[in-house]
Amino acid sequence: MRVSERCHAVTGLGYAPPWCVNAGIIQADGATLIVDTGGNTLAAQTIFGYATAVAAGAALRVINTEKHFDHIGGNSFFRAQGIDVWGHRAIMRRAEEFQAEVAEFNETIPNAVRRARGEAAAFFDATTLENPNCPIEGDMRLSGVEILMTPG
């Protein structure tokens, strides 16, 4: 969805009911800035598709706004494309936390047989934990966009 001349929103990406996830796309200074990568590889592929469509040929940059997996779950897809991911050093997660997230998803499956088979793994297919590889230490500019550190 176009929010303004240079800003777009990708809305309704799946996550744990009743939540859905949104991501942002900002066309800025010869690059496209993707704000958050969704909860998994499928979400990241969708975001990537929209980002390349709105600014064909522009370099892509990614920033994570927080450490929840619905914001960083698609990082592994972008890193596999050779795209750097920026994020505050305090949002780093551990593999055990990611596995706990998958297990928590699995517990929400109402059907006992499907839950016992670990069906939640389908949601995270081809998704691995990938933390930002470019740490943000304080206020900065990224592709012409001002990044301001806020508590929270």
Side-chain angles (χ1 to χ4, degrees), residues 42-128:
L42 291 173
Q45 290 171 329
T46 300
I47 295 163
F48 178 82
Y50 282 116
T52 56
V54 299
L60 296 179
R61 309 275 185 275
V62 173
I63 187 169
N64 294 145
T65 60
E66 62 169 283
K67 70 180 188 174
H68 293 129
F69 287 106
D70 59 326
H71 294 258
I72 69 169
N75 286 358
S76 59
F77 171 80
F78 286 97
R79 291 297 300 132
Q81 310 310 308
I83 299 169
D84 287 328
V85 176
W86 295 80
H88 192 274
R89 59 180 161 61
I91 72 171
M92 300 302 173
R93 301 301 294 267
R94 296 183 324 272
E96 304 82 50
E97 293 172 303
F98 178 63
Q99 292 308 314
E101 182 82 354
V102 175
E104 184 178 336
F105 259 70
N106 204 64
E107 288 304 311
T108 67
I109 296 172
N111 182 287
V113 173
R114 291 170 49 202
R115 190 172 51 251
R117 290 177 156 254
E119 189 174 285
F123 184 79
F124 294 99
D125 185 52
T127 303
T128 58

